[in-house]
């Protein structure tokens, strides 16, 4: 089911490039393929959670630095389910939301990058090797950047888009360092090797923790790494903003949970630091939200608050 959903999302991206005007006439609108793909992914996620099973697939990979391995386990399914539900609902809403823009500009790019964003987020949750994970992470960042810049003729949108692009790539640096250092100790870039590696020296484990917190925390919007979030979310189309707040920033939480599970028993200061980051994000996020008069900015700061919680 999940593979079928991924195939439909990929097909939807290609169809949007060549058939976007006619896609709007489909029963569910231009996002109909995204709706069907999301439904298939949701079925696969529910089945995985119900059976509490894991299944992996290794694809042919031409690069010498790892395999194209994907794995569907309950943790991935837990995050795939809201991604599928919100992705499908966003596609339904986006069809009507984008209608007024059809007379002004082509909607090919908007629907192409929407399908790519869904596909890349699903691959982030499914990737079981550092290389495809980082590739999917980059694809997610770039597709969401182009969606944020949908109304690129506005100076505020340009500024928000570049703020997001710079922030997300600065956050990508510690992620690469995390996977490289962890791969050195594990002897492989496969996540299964990370999970079974021997305990590493405490100093290196703490360094990996800091890399993970900075890299995934930037995407999640932890304070003070949240600067891009209240700028990018109001600039994006409403259905994209909902998907970014509802799912995309949670990929940071997923990455933090997944990566820290590979490390040995954590020292107490890791927990206290996470409590401090969470408490400050929760309190400051809601205080900033109370001062907002723009609904999207208000929801963006509430996203910072909810991430903190």
């Amino acid at each position: 089911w999940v593979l079928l959903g991924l195939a439909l999302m990929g097909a939807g991206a290609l169809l949007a490039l060549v058939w976007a005007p006619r896609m709007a006439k489909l029963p569910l609108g231009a996002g109909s393929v995204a709706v069907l793909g999301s439904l298939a992914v949701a079925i696969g996620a529910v089945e995985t959670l119900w059976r509490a099973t894991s299944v992996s697939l290794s694809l042919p990979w031409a690069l010498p630095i790892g395999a194209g391995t994907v794995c569907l386990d309950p943790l991935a399914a837990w995050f795939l389910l809201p991604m599928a539900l919100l992705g499908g609902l966003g596609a339904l809403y986006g069809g009507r939301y984008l209608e007024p823009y059809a007379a002004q500009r082509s909607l090919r790019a908007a629907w192409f990058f929407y399908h790519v964003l869904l596909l890349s987020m699903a691959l982030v949750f499914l990737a079981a090797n550092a290389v495809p994970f980082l590739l999917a992470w980059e694809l997610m960042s770039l597709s969401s950047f182009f969606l944020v810049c949908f109304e690129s003729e506005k100076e505020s949108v340009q500024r928000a888009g570049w703020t997001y692009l710079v922030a997300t790539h600065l956050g990508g640096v510690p992620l690469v360092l995390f996977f490289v250092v962890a791969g050195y100790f594990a002897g492989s870039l496969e996540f299964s090797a990370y999970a079974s590696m021997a305990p590493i020296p405490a100093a290196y484990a703490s360094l990996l923790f800091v890399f993970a917190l900075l890299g995934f925390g930037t995407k999640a919007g932890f304070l003070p790494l949240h600067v891009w979030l209240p700028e990018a979310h109001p600039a994006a189309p409403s259905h994209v903003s909902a998907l970014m707040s509802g799912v995309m920033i949670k990929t940071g939480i997923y990455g933090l949970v997944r990566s820290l599970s590979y490390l040995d028993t954590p020292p107490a200061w890791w927990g206290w630091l996470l409590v401090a980051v969470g408490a400050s994000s929760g309190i400051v996020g809601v205080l900033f939200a109370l001062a907002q008069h723009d609904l999207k900015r208000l929801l963006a700061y509430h996203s910072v608050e909810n991430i903190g919680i």
Side-chain angles (χ1 to χ4, degrees):
W1 281 110
V2 172
L3 288 176
L4 174 61
L6 297 181
L8 285 170
M9 292 171 185
L14 295 176
L15 286 173
L17 290 180
V18 299
W19 207 45
R22 297 182 182 180
M23 286 176 69
K25 301 176 182 178
L26 295 176
L28 297 177
S32 56
V33 183
V35 173
L36 295 176
S38 298
L39 179 61
V41 170
I43 293 172
V46 169
E47 183 181 18
T48 301
L49 290 170
W50 180 260
R51 296 185 179 183
T53 57
S54 298
V55 59
S56 60
L57 176 67
S58 187
L59 304 174
W61 192 259
L63 297 178
I65 51 178
T69 308
V70 293
C71 178
L72 176 60
D73 60 8
L75 178 61
W78 180 257
F79 283 84
L80 276 172
L81 186 57
M83 186 282 294
L85 293 176
L86 283 173
L89 291 172
L92 286 175
Y93 183 87
R96 294 296 297 274
Y97 178 89
L98 294 175
E99 271 185 9
Y101 295 93
Q104 308 168 17
R105 70 189 75 199
S106 171
L107 299 180
R108 285 186 172 91
W111 284 114
F112 172 77
F113 286 115
Y114 187 84
H115 285 85
V116 171
L117 178 59
L118 290 180
L119 178 62
S120 58
M121 284 195 297
L123 290 175
V124 164
F125 298 138
L126 293 170
N129 181 285
V131 176
F133 180 91
L134 290 172
L135 290 175
W137 190 269
E138 178 67 10
L139 193 61
M140 176 180 68
S141 299
L142 290 176
S143 58
S144 53
F145 162 74
F146 285 111
L147 288 169
V148 166
C149 295
F150 174 68
E151 295 184 89
S152 58
E153 68 277 5
K154 297 180 180 179
E155 184 180 350
S156 60
V157 172
Q158 295 176 20
R159 184 171 60 251
W162 284 113
T163 300
Y164 170 59
L165 190 65
V166 171
T168 194
H169 283 92
L170 287 177
V173 174
L175 289 187
V176 174
L177 293 174
F178 173 89
F179 288 117
V180 169
V181 175
Y184 171 79
F185 285 102
S188 172
L189 294 177
E190 292 286 333
F191 289 175
S192 58
Y194 290 176
S196 59
M197 66 180 173
I200 62 178
Y204 285 103
S206 294
L207 185 63
L208 288 173
F209 166 72
V210 172
F211 286 156
L213 185 61
L214 290 174
F216 292 117
T218 301
K219 182 67 72 179
F222 289 150
L223 207 75
L225 306 173
H226 72 294
V227 290
W228 64 270
L229 203 153
E231 299 297 327
H233 287 225
S238 291
H239 61 297
V240 176
S241 180
L243 191 61
M244 291 174 69
S245 289
V247 181
M248 193 190 75
I249 63 174
K250 275 70 174 183
T251 60
I253 299 296
Y254 167 81
L256 202 59
V257 172
R258 178 74 77 183
S259 60
L260 295 186
S261 69
Y262 301 142
L263 304 180
D264 199 23
T265 304
W269 72 267
W270 292 12
W272 287 115
L273 180 57
L274 287 174
V275 168
V277 169
S280 60
S281 298
I283 295 171
V284 176
V286 74
L287 290 177
F288 274 112
L290 291 173
Q292 302 306 312
H293 300 286
D294 180 276
L295 184 59
K296 286 184 179 180
R297 288 182 67 88
L298 183 146
L299 291 174
Y301 278 113
H302 272 304
S303 296
V304 175
E305 174 212 0
N306 290 328
I307 282 290
I309 293 172

